[in-house]
Amino acid sequence: MKSMKNMTIRPIAALALLAVIGVGTPAIAGAASNSATAKTTISAYQTQLKTWHTAVTAYDTARATIQRTYNKSVRTATTALTVALKAKGSHTAALATFHAAIKLAKSTRLASMTALGAAPVRPTK
């Protein structure tokens, strides 16, 4: 019986092996084509990432400059208010000047941020 079993298993194994080779060969050929496509896609993505990184760096620099300018304006207005309050004179006028300076600084920052626009969007794979 063992010899009959071996005689049955060997042809089935040979057919299975042929089926795997027959199906696998076109898949390997297709894999080479897919590999070239994948390399092109990865290269394009890397180029997009470099472009995005440059744009984000410029955006962050511009945004930081806008914020520094705003902060400097607020410090200047605060210093002017402090000096005016220590001097003999109208505190009401000093406060009105301070509030006007802060309002101008806020509106300038808002206009600058609006002109800057939204941050660049990271590319997707």
Side-chain angles (χ1 to χ4, degrees):
M1 283 217 145
K2 284 188 177 184
S3 62
M4 187 65 158
K5 187 176 182 182
N6 285 340
M7 290 176 60
T8 307
I9 291 176
R10 284 186 184 171
I12 292 173
L15 282 174
L17 184 60
L18 284 174
V20 168
I21 290 172
V23 170
T25 303
I28 292 171
S33 173
N34 289 342
S35 176
T37 303
K39 286 181 182 177
T40 303
T41 303
I42 289 171
S43 177
Y45 176 69
Q46 288 173 340
T47 302
Q48 291 172 350
L49 266 181
K50 286 179 185 177
T51 302
W52 170 79
H53 187 266
T54 303
V56 164
T57 302
Y59 178 85
D60 289 343
T61 301
R63 187 173 174 160
T65 301
I66 292 168
Q67 189 62 36
R68 275 194 306 273
T69 303
Y70 170 76
N71 289 341
K72 185 176 179 182
S73 297
V74 170
R75 275 194 309 274
T76 302
T78 304
T79 302
L81 176 65
T82 304
V83 169
L85 290 177
K86 287 181 182 179
K88 302 224 185 232
S90 174
H91 294 290
T92 307
L95 282 172
T97 303
F98 172 76
H99 289 298
I102 295 298
K103 187 175 181 178
L104 178 63
K106 285 181 180 180
S107 65
T108 303
R109 180 181 62 173
L110 179 62
S112 298
M113 291 301 291
T114 302
L116 182 60
V121 179
R122 184 183 182 111
T124 56
K125 288 185 180 181

